[in-house]
Amino acid sequence: MKKLLLFSLSIFGLLFIFNTSSHAQASSDFKVGGGIIYGSEVEAIGIQAGAKYGFTEEISGAADFAIFFPENYDWWELNANGHYHFLQEDNISVYGLAGLNYATMSFSADLGEFGTASASNSEIGLNLGGGAEFGLDFANLYTELKYILGNADQLALSAGLRFDI
């Protein structure tokens, strides 16, 4: 899984480095997209899909759904974050984020002749972190690093693409 994460981040990095013809594009207030995410507590990579809406030039809101792929259990989460863009130049935007996280973990095991056993747990946490968005010719490349405070403490690193709608 770590090799897949490193490979994916390398591809996104190369897209940014070699895209020297990027120009600032007319930006829509509403963007949708997805990408990959890695969580330190779940110790697995996952996929993420979400949307972002710009209320003003400095303030935007984002919501996303992420599902991780650990070996022995299921883990998914919903996030709702507010972004404050403190640096915006040409095709680069850097922002801080804060918001809420709802995570669900579930486990199921086959006990043979004794039947099956299952357990699940849900947690609510607080997201704190930051990110950056880079304008490409066809979309915006985003990267985010956030820490989720709560019973399921976790550092999450994500990267992906957002498209104007």
Side-chain angles (χ1 to χ4, degrees), residues 28-29 52-61 83-85 88:
S28 170
D29 288 340
K52 180 179 176 184
Y53 182 77
F55 297 106
T56 67
E57 280 192 33
E58 293 86 19
I59 298 172
S60 61
H83 297 173
Y84 180 76
H85 299 260
Q88 292 190 40

Side-chain angles (χ1 to χ4, degrees), residues 3-165:
K3 289 181 182 178
L4 179 62
L5 176 65
L6 182 60
F7 175 75
S8 300
L9 291 176
S10 298
I11 295 297
F12 285 125
L14 289 173
L15 280 173
F16 177 68
I17 290 169
F18 291 112
N19 191 7
T20 57
S21 65
S22 290
H23 301 288
Q25 57 187 9
S27 179
S28 170
D29 288 340
F30 189 66
K31 300 175 195 268
V32 296
I36 59 172
I37 186 168
Y38 178 80
S40 64
E41 179 68 22
V42 68
E43 294 181 347
I45 196 166
I47 56 173
Q48 181 180 46
K52 180 179 176 184
Y53 182 77
F55 297 106
T56 67
E57 280 192 33
E58 293 86 19
I59 298 172
S60 61
D64 66 74
F65 173 78
I67 185 165
F68 294 92
F69 302 107
E71 289 185 29
N72 300 321
Y73 57 97
D74 298 324
W75 183 307
W76 60 266
E77 64 185 35
L78 292 170
N79 294 288
N81 297 310
H83 297 173
Y84 180 76
H85 299 260
F86 55 87
L87 173 66
Q88 292 190 40
E89 292 184 11
D90 294 332
N91 61 344
I92 298 174
S93 177
V94 179
Y95 56 88
L97 69 85
L100 293 175
N101 169 278
Y102 176 77
T104 297
M105 297 126 293
S106 61
F107 172 79
S108 178
D110 183 11
L111 302 176
E113 63 187 62
F114 298 107
T116 60
S118 63
S120 65
N121 191 24
S122 298
E123 303 291 339
I124 294 177
L126 178 66
N127 294 329
L128 296 173
E133 230 175 281
F134 307 94
L136 304 175
D137 288 336
F138 59 95
N140 286 350
L141 171 67
Y142 72 90
T143 59
E144 286 185 353
L145 179 67
K146 65 183 171 192
Y147 192 77
I148 302 162
L149 298 164
N151 287 340
D153 286 349
Q154 147 164 284
L155 184 66
L157 173 65
S158 60
L161 295 172
R162 289 187 180 128
F163 300 92
D164 289 336
I165 297 292

